[in-house]
Amino acid sequence: GAGVSQSPSNKVTEKGKDVELRCDPISGHTALYWYRQRLGQGLEFLIYFQGNSAPDKSGLPSDRFSAERTGESVSTLTIQRTQQEDSAVYLCASTISGILPPQYFGPGTRLTVL
Amino acid sequence: DQQVKQNSPSLSVQEGRISILNCDYTNSMFDYFLWYKKYPAEGPTFLISISSIKDKNEDGRFTVFLNKSAKHLSLHIVPSQPGDSAVYFCAASARYGGSQGNLIFGKGTKLSVKP
Protein backbone atom coordinates (compact mmCIF):
# COMPACT_ATOMS: atom_id res chain seq x y z
CA GLY A 1 0.00 0.00 0.00
CA ALA A 2 0.95 3.63 -0.32
CA GLY A 3 0.66 4.63 3.33
CA VAL A 4 2.21 3.70 6.64
CA SER A 5 0.81 0.47 7.99
CA GLN A 6 0.86 -0.85 11.53
CA SER A 7 0.00 -4.17 13.10
CA PRO A 8 -1.80 -5.31 15.08
CA SER A 9 -4.52 -2.69 15.12
CA ASN A 10 -5.54 -3.73 18.61
CA LYS A 11 -3.66 -5.62 21.30
CA VAL A 12 -4.94 -6.65 24.70
CA THR A 13 -2.38 -8.12 27.06
CA GLU A 14 -1.96 -8.96 30.69
CA LYS A 15 0.25 -6.96 32.97
CA GLY A 16 3.79 -8.33 32.97
CA LYS A 17 3.69 -9.76 29.44
CA ASP A 18 5.87 -8.54 26.58
CA VAL A 19 4.35 -7.06 23.41
CA GLU A 20 5.74 -6.31 19.99
CA LEU A 21 4.26 -3.70 17.66
CA ARG A 22 5.12 -3.44 13.99
CA CYS A 23 5.37 -0.54 11.58
CA ASP A 24 5.84 -0.57 7.80
CA PRO A 25 6.79 2.92 6.64
CA ILE A 26 6.16 4.44 3.25
CA SER A 27 8.64 3.08 0.74
CA GLY A 28 11.58 5.42 0.27
CA HIS A 29 11.08 7.23 3.56
CA THR A 30 14.34 7.24 5.45
CA ALA A 31 13.02 8.64 8.72
CA LEU A 32 10.71 6.75 11.04
CA TYR A 33 9.17 7.87 14.33
CA TRP A 34 7.24 6.20 17.10
CA TYR A 35 4.78 8.16 19.23
CA ARG A 36 2.20 7.21 21.78
CA GLN A 37 -1.04 8.88 22.68
CA ARG A 38 -2.57 8.27 26.04
CA LEU A 39 -6.24 8.97 26.59
CA GLY A 40 -6.95 12.70 26.44
CA GLN A 41 -3.35 13.59 25.75
CA GLY A 42 -1.36 14.78 22.78
CA LEU A 43 1.15 12.65 20.94
CA GLU A 44 4.30 11.87 22.89
CA PHE A 45 7.54 11.25 21.00
CA LEU A 46 9.25 7.93 21.78
CA ILE A 47 12.05 7.18 19.31
CA TYR A 48 13.36 8.27 15.91
CA PHE A 49 15.31 6.41 13.22
CA GLN A 50 17.10 8.16 10.36
CA GLY A 51 18.77 5.93 7.81
CA ASN A 52 21.70 4.04 9.29
CA SER A 53 22.38 6.61 12.02
CA ALA A 54 22.08 5.74 15.68
CA PRO A 55 18.44 6.15 16.74
CA ASP A 56 17.32 8.99 18.96
CA LYS A 57 15.90 7.17 21.97
CA SER A 58 15.42 10.25 24.12
CA GLY A 59 11.65 9.85 24.34
CA LEU A 60 11.53 6.27 25.57
CA PRO A 61 9.89 6.37 29.02
CA SER A 62 11.79 3.46 30.55
CA ASP A 63 14.23 0.68 29.74
CA ARG A 64 11.26 -1.65 29.25
CA PHE A 65 10.78 0.08 25.90
CA SER A 66 13.00 -0.66 22.92
CA ALA A 67 12.74 -0.43 19.15
CA GLU A 68 14.57 -1.73 16.15
CA ARG A 69 14.56 -0.93 12.50
CA THR A 70 15.93 -3.03 9.67
CA GLY A 71 17.63 -0.69 7.22
CA GLU A 72 15.04 1.72 5.93
CA SER A 73 12.09 -0.59 6.23
CA VAL A 74 10.13 -2.30 8.98
CA SER A 75 10.40 -1.21 12.59
CA THR A 76 9.28 -3.03 15.73
CA LEU A 77 8.57 -1.45 19.08
CA THR A 78 8.89 -3.84 22.00
CA ILE A 79 7.50 -3.25 25.47
CA GLN A 80 8.69 -5.69 28.10
CA ARG A 81 6.86 -6.50 31.32
CA THR A 82 3.93 -4.29 30.36
CA GLN A 83 2.26 -2.11 32.96
CA GLN A 84 -1.23 -0.65 32.97
CA GLU A 85 0.16 2.83 32.35
CA ASP A 86 1.52 1.56 29.03
CA SER A 87 -2.05 1.44 27.72
CA ALA A 88 -2.19 3.90 24.83
CA VAL A 89 -2.38 4.17 21.07
CA TYR A 90 1.08 3.68 19.60
CA LEU A 91 1.56 5.57 16.36
CA CYS A 92 4.27 5.22 13.77
CA ALA A 93 5.14 7.94 11.26
CA SER A 94 7.59 8.24 8.41
CA THR A 95 8.99 11.03 6.31
CA ILE A 96 11.42 11.35 3.44
CA SER A 97 14.07 12.92 5.65
CA GLY A 98 14.05 13.69 9.33
CA ILE A 99 14.30 17.44 9.01
CA LEU A 100 11.69 17.65 6.27
CA PRO A 101 8.19 17.38 7.67
CA PRO A 102 5.41 16.51 7.28
CA GLN A 103 5.37 13.13 8.89
CA TYR A 104 2.82 10.66 7.59
CA PHE A 105 1.17 8.55 10.24
CA GLY A 106 -0.08 5.00 10.33
CA PRO A 107 -3.46 4.11 11.88
CA GLY A 108 -1.89 3.15 15.19
CA THR A 109 -1.98 0.15 17.49
CA ARG A 110 -4.31 0.42 20.47
CA LEU A 111 -2.64 -1.35 23.38
CA THR A 112 -4.66 -2.27 26.44
CA VAL A 113 -2.85 -3.71 29.44
CA LEU A 114 -5.19 -5.42 31.88
CA ASP B 1 6.09 21.62 30.79
CA GLN B 2 4.04 21.87 27.63
CA GLN B 3 5.88 23.49 24.74
CA VAL B 4 2.81 23.45 22.49
CA LYS B 5 -0.54 24.36 23.98
CA GLN B 6 -4.03 24.14 22.61
CA ASN B 7 -6.10 25.72 25.32
CA SER B 8 -9.51 24.89 23.90
CA PRO B 9 -10.28 21.20 24.21
CA SER B 10 -13.40 21.59 22.07
CA LEU B 11 -15.06 23.94 19.60
CA SER B 12 -18.53 23.85 18.09
CA VAL B 13 -19.32 25.74 14.88
CA GLN B 14 -22.27 25.98 12.54
CA GLU B 15 -21.86 24.64 9.01
CA GLY B 16 -20.80 27.39 6.62
CA ARG B 17 -19.22 29.53 9.32
CA ILE B 18 -15.54 30.02 10.09
CA SER B 19 -13.72 27.69 12.49
CA ILE B 20 -10.71 29.16 14.25
CA LEU B 21 -8.41 26.82 16.13
CA ASN B 22 -5.64 28.32 18.22
CA CYS B 23 -2.23 27.15 19.31
CA ASP B 24 0.50 28.72 21.46
CA TYR B 25 4.10 27.64 21.82
CA THR B 26 6.94 28.51 24.14
CA ASN B 27 10.11 27.32 22.40
CA SER B 28 11.64 30.03 20.23
CA MET B 29 13.69 27.37 18.40
CA PHE B 30 10.58 26.06 16.67
CA ASP B 31 10.81 26.93 12.98
CA TYR B 32 8.12 24.80 11.39
CA PHE B 33 4.51 24.34 12.39
CA LEU B 34 1.93 21.85 11.24
CA TRP B 35 -1.71 21.07 11.71
CA TYR B 36 -2.98 17.51 11.71
CA LYS B 37 -6.54 16.25 11.66
CA LYS B 38 -7.48 13.02 13.39
CA TYR B 39 -10.63 10.95 13.07
CA PRO B 40 -11.41 8.26 15.67
CA ALA B 41 -9.49 5.01 15.17
CA GLU B 42 -7.26 6.57 12.52
CA GLY B 43 -3.79 8.07 12.59
CA PRO B 44 -3.35 11.84 12.30
CA THR B 45 -3.54 13.18 8.76
CA PHE B 46 -1.35 16.07 7.70
CA LEU B 47 -3.43 19.13 6.84
CA ILE B 48 -1.28 22.22 6.36
CA SER B 49 2.04 23.63 7.51
CA ILE B 50 3.91 26.90 7.76
CA SER B 51 7.55 27.82 8.00
CA SER B 52 8.65 30.45 10.49
CA ILE B 53 9.74 32.73 7.65
CA LYS B 54 6.12 33.17 6.64
CA ASP B 55 3.10 34.56 8.45
CA LYS B 56 0.38 32.96 6.36
CA ASN B 57 -0.16 29.85 4.29
CA GLU B 58 -3.34 29.02 2.46
CA ASP B 59 -4.64 25.78 0.97
CA GLY B 60 -8.21 25.81 -0.20
CA ARG B 61 -10.53 26.26 2.75
CA PHE B 62 -7.62 26.06 5.21
CA THR B 63 -5.38 28.96 6.20
CA VAL B 64 -2.72 28.94 8.87
CA PHE B 65 -1.54 32.20 10.42
CA LEU B 66 1.68 32.55 12.37
CA ASN B 67 2.47 35.38 14.79
CA LYS B 68 6.06 34.79 15.83
CA SER B 69 6.27 37.68 18.26
CA ALA B 70 3.27 36.30 20.15
CA LYS B 71 4.36 32.67 19.63
CA HIS B 72 0.87 31.97 18.39
CA LEU B 73 -0.61 30.25 15.39
CA SER B 74 -4.13 29.63 14.27
CA LEU B 75 -5.95 27.51 11.74
CA HIS B 76 -8.93 28.98 9.94
CA ILE B 77 -11.40 26.77 8.12
CA VAL B 78 -13.80 28.61 5.85
CA PRO B 79 -16.48 27.56 5.19
CA SER B 80 -16.71 24.81 7.80
CA GLN B 81 -18.30 21.54 6.74
CA PRO B 82 -19.68 18.65 8.83
CA GLY B 83 -16.88 16.44 7.44
CA ASP B 84 -14.37 18.72 9.14
CA SER B 85 -15.53 17.40 12.51
CA ALA B 86 -12.42 15.80 14.02
CA VAL B 87 -9.67 16.43 16.54
CA TYR B 88 -7.12 18.95 15.30
CA PHE B 89 -3.56 18.80 16.57
CA CYS B 90 -1.06 21.59 16.36
CA ALA B 91 2.57 20.46 16.10
CA ALA B 92 5.90 22.24 16.05
CA SER B 93 9.40 21.28 15.00
CA ALA B 94 12.85 22.72 15.59
CA ARG B 95 14.33 21.27 12.42
CA TYR B 96 17.79 22.71 12.88
CA GLY B 97 17.78 22.85 16.66
CA GLY B 98 19.12 19.37 17.29
CA SER B 99 15.75 17.74 17.85
CA GLN B 100 16.02 15.72 14.62
CA GLY B 101 12.74 17.06 13.33
CA ASN B 102 10.69 15.55 16.14
CA LEU B 103 7.22 16.94 16.27
CA ILE B 104 5.98 18.35 19.55
CA PHE B 105 2.21 18.08 19.67
CA GLY B 106 -0.49 19.94 21.52
CA LYS B 107 -3.27 18.00 23.21
CA GLY B 108 -5.72 18.71 20.42
CA THR B 109 -9.00 20.54 19.92
CA LYS B 110 -12.12 18.61 19.06
CA LEU B 111 -14.04 20.46 16.36
CA SER B 112 -17.73 19.76 15.85
CA VAL B 113 -19.40 21.30 12.81
CA LYS B 114 -23.17 21.25 13.14
CA PRO B 115 -25.32 20.99 9.98
Side-chain angles (χ1 to χ4, degrees), chain A residues 50-69:
Chain A
Q50 171 63 62
N52 294 318
S53 302
D56 176 357
K57 303 179 182 180
S58 60
L60 295 178
S62 78
D63 58 8
R64 295 187 296 104
F65 287 72
S66 62
E68 293 184 349
R69 187 182 186 193

Side-chain angles (χ1 to χ4, degrees), chain B residues 38-100:
Chain B
K38 186 179 185 302
Y39 293 117
E42 295 184 12
T45 303
F46 169 70
L47 199 55
I48 192 169
S49 62
I50 188 167
S51 164
S52 58
I53 62 173
K54 294 187 174 183
D55 55 17
K56 177 182 174 181
N57 189 26
E58 201 170 345
D59 184 2
R61 296 185 297 113
F62 302 91
T63 303
V64 56
F65 295 92
L66 176 62
N67 182 333
K68 282 181 62 180
S69 60
K71 292 193 176 68
H72 177 84
L73 65 155
S74 61
L75 174 68
H76 292 209
I77 307 174
V78 182
S80 302
Q81 300 174 353
D84 296 330
S85 297
V87 177
Y88 288 78
F89 289 98
C90 171
S93 172
R95 291 176 298 173
Y96 303 102
S99 68
Q100 309 290 350

Side-chain angles (χ1 to χ4, degrees), chain A residues 33 35 37 40-43 45 48 56 58 91 98-108, chain B residues 32 34 36 38 41-44 46 89 93 95-96 99-108:
Chain A
Y33 300 78
Y35 294 85
Q37 185 183 16
Q41 301 296 313
L43 279 70
F45 165 74
Y48 159 68
D56 176 357
S58 60
L91 290 153
I99 60 171
L100 293 176
Q103 298 174 14
Y104 295 92
F105 284 81
Chain B
Y32 201 81
L34 307 91
Y36 283 82
K38 186 179 185 302
E42 295 184 12
F46 169 70
F89 289 98
S93 172
R95 291 176 298 173
Y96 303 102
S99 68
Q100 309 290 350
N102 297 343
L103 295 180
I104 309 299
F105 284 84
K107 291 189 177 182

Side-chain angles (χ1 to χ4, degrees), chain A residues 78-96:
Chain A
T78 302
I79 309 173
Q80 295 178 309
R81 305 181 303 281
T82 52
Q83 305 293 313
Q84 287 182 331
E85 63 261 28
D86 299 334
S87 296
V89 176
Y90 289 81
L91 290 153
C92 174
S94 72
T95 187
I96 290 175

